[in-house]
Amino acid sequence: MTSALHTSSLTSLPLLARGKVRDNYAVGDDRILMVATDRISAFDVIMGEPIPGKGELLTHMALFWFGRLAHLCPNHLTGELPESVVSSAEVQQVVGRSMLVKRLSPLPIEAVVRGYLAGSGWKEYQQAQAVCGVPLPPGLTNSSRLPQPIYTPASKAAAGEHDENITFERTVELVGPEVAAKVRDLSLALYAEAARIALARGLIIADTKFEFGLDEQGRVVLMDEVLTPDSSRYWPVEGYEDALREGRNPPSFDKQYLRDWLEQVRIHGKPWDKTPPAPRLPQDVIAKTAAKYREALDRLTG
């Protein structure tokens, strides 16, 4: 792994935007260089300390999934080397952690698919016996597998704000009936195929979110990252049944370790209020978070 990169600083290309993790640069008017930094966010707040190697792990995993799912849906990869579009002095910031992708018109939808009851879905089910308006059978418990995966879209929030769950009908209003149905059907198909592949490698994908854009021909194209621990809840198969029986969260290969630590941390004797600035991360939390990401990748691709 290269040394940690919290924020990229390329001067050979114009900066388009900095997200929670990715720095995006314009390459002409038809492509984007996406640089996955080692930043990590939790509760929509970016931590001050990077997780060394995280950007490379995310990129490696996203490329693995783009390759495995290409038969179901076109994606935004150009197939060109990211380091070919920056100056030689900047290659080190780009190599291994970047994707050179087609520029698309992003759809204003987070396409969320849930195969298991977890996180905010579990909280909502306890109150309404439904998740995002999708009714579910009685008697489910924390971490239960759903009778079949459900599509629960959200609207994309501005940086620093929370995504908001929306109905399928609202997505029709946002993008039209044809595109809304296509995104829903593609998301469910992508999740089903990915869940099957992961399960064969001892991993459960409890839920995930996909992002899509439209190309110049109006085709729906898979974009951004896909099925990384930043956008998905990964559980190891071993330990799942025990957790389900005891009604607790299974161990996970995502940001849950960091979230749990942040929930317990005290600042001047009080819990963190989940607004910037984030608490300073101790070295052991950084190391354990990095190890979780690395193990997920090793299991999938090893």
Side-chain angles (χ1 to χ4, degrees):
M1 296 291 176
T2 57
S3 57
L5 179 73
H6 187 278
T7 306
S8 66
S9 54
L10 305 182
T11 55
S12 57
L13 297 171
L15 178 69
L16 283 175
R18 291 194 200 280
K20 289 175 191 163
V21 174
R22 283 166 188 76
D23 295 342
N24 292 344
Y25 295 86
V27 182
D29 56 9
D30 62 341
R31 292 173 299 165
I32 293 173
L33 180 67
M34 294 175 63
V35 182
T37 70
D38 296 327
R39 292 194 293 271
I40 193 166
S41 69
F43 307 111
D44 292 316
V45 177
I46 296 169
M47 304 292 114
E49 296 76 31
I51 306 298
K54 175 174 173 277
E56 290 160 273
L57 291 165
L58 292 182
T59 301
H60 195 131
M61 193 177 265
L63 291 171
F64 169 85
W65 283 119
F66 278 128
R68 289 304 174 103
L69 302 173
H71 64 291
L72 294 175
C73 179
N75 62 59
H76 66 169
L77 297 176
T78 63
E80 299 164 273
L81 285 174
E83 47 269 36
S84 67
V85 296
V86 297
S87 70
S88 57
E90 294 170 337
V91 165
Q92 213 44 49
Q93 292 185 62
V94 169
V95 70
R97 64 166 71 247
S98 307
M99 296 187 284
L100 188 53
V101 303
K102 297 165 197 153
R103 198 161 187 167
L104 304 169
S105 300
L107 295 174
I109 299 168
E110 299 271 358
V112 179
V113 181
R114 302 168 191 262
Y116 292 74
L117 205 50
S120 61
W122 165 236
K123 282 181 188 164
E124 198 178 329
Y125 173 81
Q126 290 172 280
Q127 293 159 355
Q129 212 170 295
V131 176
C132 303
V134 180
L136 292 170
L140 299 179
T141 57
N142 187 19
S143 310
S144 284
R145 185 177 181 177
L146 300 178
Q148 63 268 327
I150 58 173
Y151 175 63
T152 58
S155 61
K156 279 188 195 170
E161 296 181 18
H162 296 277
D163 296 335
E164 189 180 328
N165 293 333
I166 56 176
T167 61
F168 176 72
E169 290 69 31
R170 176 71 183 127
T171 70
V172 171
E173 292 171 15
L174 288 169
V175 299
E178 196 176 319
V179 171
K182 182 84 172 164
V183 166
R184 177 196 61 204
D185 296 348
L186 279 173
S187 299
L188 288 165
L190 290 164
Y191 173 81
E193 178 72 352
R196 183 188 66 75
I197 292 169
L199 199 56
R201 291 162 166 78
L203 288 171
I204 292 167
I205 304 175
D207 51 43
T208 193
K209 69 173 180 185
F210 301 107
E211 297 198 36
F212 297 91
L214 299 179
D215 67 10
E216 288 171 338
Q217 289 80 45
R219 288 188 313 164
V220 174
V221 178
L222 185 60
M223 58 172 262
D224 198 54
E225 59 168 359
V226 60
L227 290 154
T228 73
D230 271 6
S231 63
S232 317
R233 208 182 300 260
Y234 279 95
W235 297 333
V237 168
E238 69 277 8
Y240 168 71
E241 291 295 342
D242 287 345
L244 179 65
R245 197 166 46 248
E246 293 163 21
R248 58 179 167 81
N249 294 327
S252 61
F253 295 125
D254 52 30
K255 291 191 276 194
Q256 197 57 48
Y257 176 82
L258 174 63
R259 290 191 201 103
D260 290 346
W261 182 83
L262 289 166
E263 291 272 21
Q264 291 160 11
V265 74
R266 294 292 176 267
I267 299 161
H268 306 305
K270 293 180 181 170
W272 176 48
D273 62 3
K274 297 175 185 170
T275 61
R280 190 167 179 82
L281 302 184
Q283 199 52 50
D284 68 312
V285 171
I286 292 170
K288 281 180 182 155
T289 302
K292 293 275 183 192
Y293 276 73
R294 197 169 299 113
E295 188 174 347
L297 178 66
D298 289 347
R299 282 189 178 223
L300 267 181
T301 62

